[in-house]
Amino acid sequence: MTPAEFAARLRSRERILGYWSVLDAPVATERIARLGYDYVCLDAQHGLLGYAGLLSSLTAIDAGGASVGLVRVEANDPTPIGRALDAGAAGVIVPLVDSAEDAAKAVSASRYPPVGRRSYGPMRSGLRIGPAPADAHAATVVIAMIETPEGLAAVEEICATPGLDGVYVGPSDLRLAVGGAHVADRSVDAEFEAAVRTVCDAAKAAGIAAGIHTPDGATAAARLAQGYTFASIASDVVHLENTARAHLAAARGEETR
């Protein structure tokens, strides 16, 4: 899939499935990218990747041939957004978007002048997407994370931001945002599910994509059935740990939980 094809599918609100990567392990990332996921998102905010790892992993995703590479950048700032796109990312997921103004700032950082503030230096993106600004604008997606009380309160205005392609729920932060004492606090399930529905409905009303992070494929399927248009599944480090634990338990003859 090309970045342009991915952008068209996302903007058409087609159902899309992705994988989440936090490890600087390009060979493993390449294998994952060959499995059929529509995208692999590299986590440059909380993940264990520096710029070299980001670049190598984006190259590995492209070598896989089936997925495009997205990057969750570390901040809503032109520098990390531009670096991720220059390295060949098909789009960015921008954290901590609290307002329509924040969303507009993220969009501007991904667009070249005169419509935005992205500095021209396409490096790998010139090979992946093309050096012409118009091509980059058409093929590059910008997604705003909804994960704070402020972002949730302003989600309708955020979704209406010109040039924004989608919103993305960070469940851990969103659960804290609705009053959870910790990210697995079940006492706020009702408030959390109401917030998840609010984000989904706001995106649908605005005609943009609605995405969410999920711990497993079954949860991803349930969120898509709920009305979300794309979902990311777990992460490489979580799957590695869970699989290693299960094999150890099986070898010991123990039951796994």
Side-chain angles (χ1 to χ4, degrees):
M1 186 181 339
T2 68
E5 290 168 343
F6 177 81
R9 289 186 58 195
L10 186 87
R11 290 165 183 159
S12 297
R13 289 176 49 86
E14 293 184 27
R15 289 189 172 186
I16 291 173
L17 286 170
Y19 194 81
W20 201 260
S21 177
V22 303
L23 295 176
D24 184 354
V27 173
T29 303
E30 181 181 5
R31 285 177 171 267
I32 291 167
R34 295 171 63 89
L35 296 177
Y37 288 98
D38 298 302
Y39 66 89
V40 176
C41 185
L42 306 174
D43 189 352
Q45 183 189 23
H46 294 303
L48 306 173
L49 303 104
Y51 181 74
L54 196 71
L55 180 61
S56 297
S57 293
L58 285 169
T59 304
I61 292 166
D62 293 342
S67 307
V68 300
L70 301 181
V71 175
R72 176 166 69 174
V73 295
E74 59 264 41
N76 187 4
D77 182 89
T79 298
I81 291 173
R83 281 170 67 84
L85 296 178
D86 289 349
V92 289
I93 298 177
V94 181
L96 301 172
V97 173
D98 292 337
S99 65
E101 181 181 5
D102 284 349
K105 179 181 176 182
V107 172
S108 177
S110 74
R111 303 289 190 261
Y112 294 113
V115 296
R117 299 187 61 215
R118 181 180 174 185
S119 179
Y120 190 82
M123 298 300 167
R124 274 201 78 244
S125 67
L127 303 174
R128 256 317 258 161
I129 295 173
D135 293 337
H137 296 172
T140 300
V141 299
V142 183
I143 300 163
M145 292 198 72
I146 306 297
E147 53 185 343
T148 65
E150 296 82 3
L152 183 61
V155 67
E156 292 182 0
E157 293 85 355
I158 291 170
C159 288
T161 302
L164 188 70
D165 298 297
V167 287
Y168 187 80
V169 171
S172 295
D173 281 306
L174 190 63
R175 189 172 288 271
L176 297 178
V178 298
H182 51 81
V183 298
D185 187 353
R186 300 298 302 273
S187 71
V188 295
D189 274 0
E191 294 85 352
F192 174 76
E193 290 300 330
V196 167
R197 170 55 65 188
T198 293
V199 176
C200 184
D201 289 347
K204 181 178 181 181
I208 66 172
I212 189 167
H213 194 88
T214 65
D216 51 56
T219 305
R223 292 303 187 192
L224 291 175
Q226 185 180 14
Y228 277 83
T229 63
F230 71 102
S232 302
I233 297 172
S235 74
D236 44 15
V237 71
V238 170
H239 280 156
L240 178 64
E241 181 180 6
N242 288 347
T243 300
R245 180 186 296 112
H247 283 297
L248 179 60
R252 289 173 170 171
E254 300 171 350
E255 292 186 7
T256 58
R257 291 183 291 176

